[in-house]
Amino acid sequence: MTYGWRWAAARARGTSHVKTGLPCQDFALSEAVASLDETVMTVIVSDGAGSAKLAEIGSKSVCIGLLRLIRGYLASHSLSQLREEMVWDWIDDIREYISAKASRSGTQRRDFAATTVAALMSENGTVIFHIGDGAAVVRYEGDDAWDVPSWPYQGEYASTTSFITDDPYPRLTFVRNDRRVDRFAVFSDGIERLVLNSVDRSAHEPFFNRIVTPLAFSEEAGRNVSLSIALRDYLESPSICERTDDDKTLVLGVRK
């Protein structure tokens, strides 16, 4: 059961990748996962590093691996029991899987470098964990304002960030909140500068209020295919591509 969640998800290849013939290096998965005692809306977005030779495989491996681990955990636990230590165990599992894949293919783990943004939202709270750039933006039940619980990480040098494959360990942000989310947006860094205000570290609220409106009026539970197609068309539109040439991923959700 989706417990009232309606969501749309889309990704689009950046114009820079279209010109050079590179694939989209973003990946995302979204699913209402049954836990021990409730349903947890789960969204994972990963952006493969542009400098990594196998970035698109890295981002896909991160999303598929994390969703599998999250499903397994929630089958016998509540989201309220999740702690940062368990997320580190998941990250170690993903890193070991990528290392094994690299060993088999004669490559290096850094060739699969990718960021991670994951949002897990239940009836009774929210957990967000985050490595690198991109972000999850949420609106809590009873609020009009949108919140950015974990800000995108920018490294010491321009256009640098943290990746799940970093040595000795990646930079992880883990955020727990007991409030109930009724709107969310999770996205890669391709649209980050268009939807976040870096001066005061806030969300550009008119954008998020506008873009979730179709979902708010949708009666179709679960992932809305038609709105996902429309969202992809929007990410590929000139109004977006004129402002960013990067790959773009966006997952939007509304709790009815």
Side-chain angles (χ1 to χ4, degrees):
M1 294 181 65
T2 61
Y3 282 84
W5 281 108
R6 284 91 165 104
W7 71 92
R11 61 191 178 110
R13 189 161 59 139
T15 53
S16 62
H17 286 184
V18 172
K19 291 175 182 176
T20 57
L22 288 173
C24 180
Q25 295 172 333
D26 283 5
F27 202 80
L29 290 174
S30 48
E31 183 177 306
V33 178
S35 79
L36 184 65
D37 56 1
E38 58 187 347
T39 294
V40 178
M41 185 65 216
T42 302
V43 181
I44 307 162
V45 171
S46 181
D47 178 6
S51 59
K53 292 189 295 185
L54 300 169
E56 68 277 11
I57 299 175
S59 60
K60 186 174 182 178
S61 298
V62 167
C63 290
I64 292 174
L66 278 177
L67 184 58
R68 175 180 56 82
L69 292 164
I70 290 167
R71 284 175 181 157
Y73 179 83
L74 291 176
S76 56
H77 297 81
S78 299
L79 183 61
S80 60
Q81 296 174 281
L82 182 60
R83 297 293 181 267
E84 184 173 342
E85 291 76 15
M86 178 56 65
V87 174
W88 274 115
D89 287 345
W90 296 345
I91 291 168
D92 286 341
D93 283 352
I94 300 297
R95 286 163 60 87
E96 289 174 8
Y97 172 79
I98 291 175
S99 292
K101 184 183 285 288
S103 179
R104 291 193 300 270
S105 61
T107 56
Q108 302 295 318
R109 186 166 66 188
R110 64 176 176 270
D111 293 327
F112 299 83
T115 64
T116 309
V117 185
L120 286 69
M121 297 157 284
S122 75
E123 295 293 305
N124 303 302
T126 302
V127 169
I128 292 171
F129 60 91
H130 191 178
I131 295 170
D133 49 24
V137 176
V138 299
R139 197 186 80 176
Y140 300 111
E141 191 173 60
D143 281 1
D144 293 326
W146 289 76
D147 184 41
V148 191
S150 175
W151 193 256
Y153 173 68
Q154 303 297 328
E156 183 178 353
Y157 302 102
S159 301
T160 62
T161 189
S162 182
F163 301 105
I164 197 167
T165 52
D166 284 355
D167 290 318
Y169 291 103
R171 182 185 184 277
L172 172 70
T173 300
F174 178 91
V175 179
R176 168 182 294 283
N177 193 307
D178 293 333
R179 299 185 65 189
R180 191 170 183 259
V181 166
D182 68 4
R183 304 278 192 278
F184 71 79
V186 186
F187 48 91
S188 64
D189 77 320
I191 63 167
E192 193 177 286
R193 287 174 292 179
L194 311 184
V195 301
L196 296 179
N197 302 315
S198 59
V199 174
D200 59 359
R201 293 198 165 194
S202 65
H204 184 52
E205 294 185 3
F207 171 84
F208 292 108
N209 287 330
R210 181 179 69 254
I211 204 163
V212 300
T213 296
L215 282 170
F217 288 100
S218 170
E219 294 302 323
E220 181 180 334
R223 183 173 181 266
N224 189 305
V225 175
S226 61
L227 290 179
S228 294
I229 293 171
L231 183 60
R232 183 197 62 201
D233 291 343
Y234 172 69
L235 293 177
E236 293 177 339
S237 68
S239 63
I240 297 297
C241 292
E242 287 169 1
R243 301 172 68 188
T244 173
D245 64 356
D246 198 2
D247 294 336
K248 299 163 285 291
T249 297
L250 178 58
V251 185
L252 305 168
V254 172
R255 191 198 298 268
K256 294 286 279 190

